[in-house]
Amino acid sequence: EGPSREKSKMADAEAPTVTFPDDYPNSVRHFLLIGFLGMFIGSIVFFYMGISRKVNTVSHVLTFFIAAVASCSYYAMWAGLGVEYKT
């Protein structure tokens, strides 16, 4: 009746099924897709501007990586990666 019994009860409970793209309205998905495309295009522009200069600075590289990581984050949210519970 200890912790192992509680774990088996929790294991027997059915995990909630979340389908992110289907459960959320299209407006949310569209804004996430617009954010992804904006950051993706921005990262391409920042990359091009960084390599076209004769001298690379930390700010150019940092700006590119910030836009690239934000682009990946927006894509992950749009695709529903990592969604376990919908509140």
Side-chain angles (χ1 to χ4, degrees):
E1 292 280 346
S4 63
R5 179 75 175 152
E6 291 176 10
K7 286 181 184 178
S8 67
K9 285 182 183 178
M10 289 172 34
D12 293 340
E14 188 174 323
T17 303
V18 177
T19 55
F20 174 77
D22 298 332
D23 290 343
Y24 284 82
N26 280 335
S27 62
V28 172
R29 295 185 65 218
H30 288 140
F31 279 114
L32 291 174
L33 187 60
I34 289 168
F36 160 69
L37 291 174
M39 289 294 164
F40 183 72
I41 293 169
S43 66
I44 292 171
V45 169
F46 292 137
F47 179 75
Y48 176 74
M49 290 173 65
I51 62 170
S52 65
R53 292 180 51 101
K54 292 181 181 180
V55 177
N56 281 340
T57 61
V58 174
S59 64
H60 291 99
V61 175
L62 187 63
T63 306
F64 162 72
F65 276 113
I66 288 171
V69 168
S71 172
C72 292
S73 299
Y74 273 109
Y75 179 77
M77 288 185 281
W78 176 77
L81 297 174
V83 174
E84 291 182 18
Y85 300 103
K86 177 183 157 191
T87 56

